[in-house]
């Protein structure tokens, strides 16, 4: 085992997008960083980041990977649960199996990681778990319903867990990005039971999602919020990432629902 002088961070899904930017930023911030991918043989090396294979949808993979990190470094100071996947289409066009697949990664993947890492953090009396939510963990996302449901679940789980583990020196924090320029949309699963009745509106929704990601924030902006969550002396439960996410989060809290929902319909170019 290496005796680590620097704090150790484990970032799931560090092969691309936000996870990769977070891994790089954590190296810059003075962490020894372990990043993961389902297939590390296909990952381009990232300076200062050691890669391990991990599928957060598999119990055995999660437990083996966390054990490898602990064997090698002796501890985990920061866990960034970043791995996630989208699912597009109208809710009625997604089979239950598809929705379960998204939850298995976005929600149960987070829970699997927490259950493996938390005993090590508790034993040392400290640590931070940073869960990637989304602005869609706070507001409705038509034509991304299962995805929005998964991020709402991450919000409720994280906020509840945070109250359980504070007395053990561990904090559970949320990072909430808005549209961010990554391969997220390209990697999203398409509906497996498309229905003609939703064709027109689904095409509009796909354009709205594609534009939000294409014209979205640089992943480095989200990485900055992750670094703040990892290092702030007095961390906040929620970190919105980027100006748009901050504005939406505030509006959600202060604008009456009727007005907020009419804006949601307008933004998503929904009929009626
Ligand atoms: P990317 O598609 O670029 O990255 C997703 C990452 O998740 C990849 O590195 C992938 O790694 C990993 N991943 C996917 N499935 C699994 C799995 N079963 N086990 C382990 N790792 C997995 O998207 P983003 O960087 O945009 O997404 C990162 C996070 O940010 C997600 O949680 C997403 O929901 C959230 N987010 C993104 C927004 C955006 O607009 N882009 C907005 C708000 C939140 P690999 O394929 O190498 O295994």
């Amino acid at each position: 085992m290496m005796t680590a002088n620097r704090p150790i961070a484990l970032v799931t899904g560090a092969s691309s997008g936000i996870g990769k930017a977070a891994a790089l930023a954590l190296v810059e911030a003075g962490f020894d960083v372990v990043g993961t991918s389902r297939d590390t043989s296909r990952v381009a090396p990232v300076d200062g980041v050691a890669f391990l294979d991990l599928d957060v949808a598999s119990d055995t993979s999660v437990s083996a990977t966390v054990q490898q990190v602990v064997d090698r470094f002796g501890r985990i100071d920061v866990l960034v649960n970043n791995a996630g996947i989208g699912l597009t289409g109208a809710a009625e066009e997604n089979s239950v199996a598809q929705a379960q697949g998204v939850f298995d990664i976005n929600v149960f993947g987070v829970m699997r990681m927490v259950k493996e890492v938390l005993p090590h953090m508790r034993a040392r009396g400290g640590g931070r778990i940073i869960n990637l939510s989304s602005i869609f963990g706070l507001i409705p996302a038509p034509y991304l319903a299962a995805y929005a449901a998964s991020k709402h679940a991450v919000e409720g789980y994280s906020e509840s867990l945070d109250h359980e583990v504070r007395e053990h020196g561990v904090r559970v924090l949320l990072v909430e990005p808005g549209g961010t320029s990554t391969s997220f949309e390209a990697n999203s699963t398409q509906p497996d039971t498309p229905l003609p009745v939703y064709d027109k509106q689904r095409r509009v929704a796909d354009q709205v999602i594609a534009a939000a990601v294409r014209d979205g924030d640089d992943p480095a902006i989200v990485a900055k919020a992750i670094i703040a969550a990892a290092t702030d002396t007095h961390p906040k439960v929620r970190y919105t990432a980027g100006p748009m996410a901050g504005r939406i989060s505030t509006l959600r809290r202060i604008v009456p629902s009727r007005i907020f929902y009419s804006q949601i319909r307008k933004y998503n170019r929904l009929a009626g």
Side-chain angles (χ1 to χ4, degrees), residues 210-224:
V213 171
R214 186 190 59 232
D215 305 334
D217 291 325
D218 191 289
I221 290 178
V222 185
K224 209 170 152 198

Side-chain angles (χ1 to χ4, degrees), residues 12-20 36-40 42-43 54-58 81-86 104-106 132-136 147 151 175-188 212-213 216 219 222:
T12 68
S15 60
S16 63
I18 292 169
K20 183 176 179 182
T36 77
S37 164
R38 282 165 297 179
D39 184 359
T40 50
R42 287 175 26 188
V43 176
L54 171 70
D55 180 350
V56 297
S58 154
N81 278 314
N82 164 78
I85 189 161
D104 213 16
I105 297 170
N106 294 6
L132 263 289
S133 174
S134 164
I135 204 65
F136 292 149
Y147 176 73
K151 293 300 185 181
V175 169
E176 297 158 335
T180 308
S181 177
T182 68
S183 309
F184 175 80
E185 189 236 348
N187 291 337
S188 290
V213 171
V222 185

Side-chain angles (χ1 to χ4, degrees), residues 146-200:
Y147 176 73
S150 76
K151 293 300 185 181
H152 277 70
V154 167
E155 291 270 332
Y157 174 71
S158 305
E159 223 178 336
S160 305
L161 178 62
D162 182 49
H163 286 287
E164 296 174 2
V165 296
R166 278 188 203 192
E167 67 186 87
H168 301 288
V170 179
R171 293 300 310 269
V172 182
L173 311 166
L174 287 153
V175 169
E176 297 158 335
T180 308
S181 177
T182 68
S183 309
F184 175 80
E185 189 236 348
N187 291 337
S188 290
T189 306
Q190 305 296 314
D192 59 1
T193 41
L195 300 172
V197 65
Y198 294 112
D199 273 351
K200 185 162 164 253

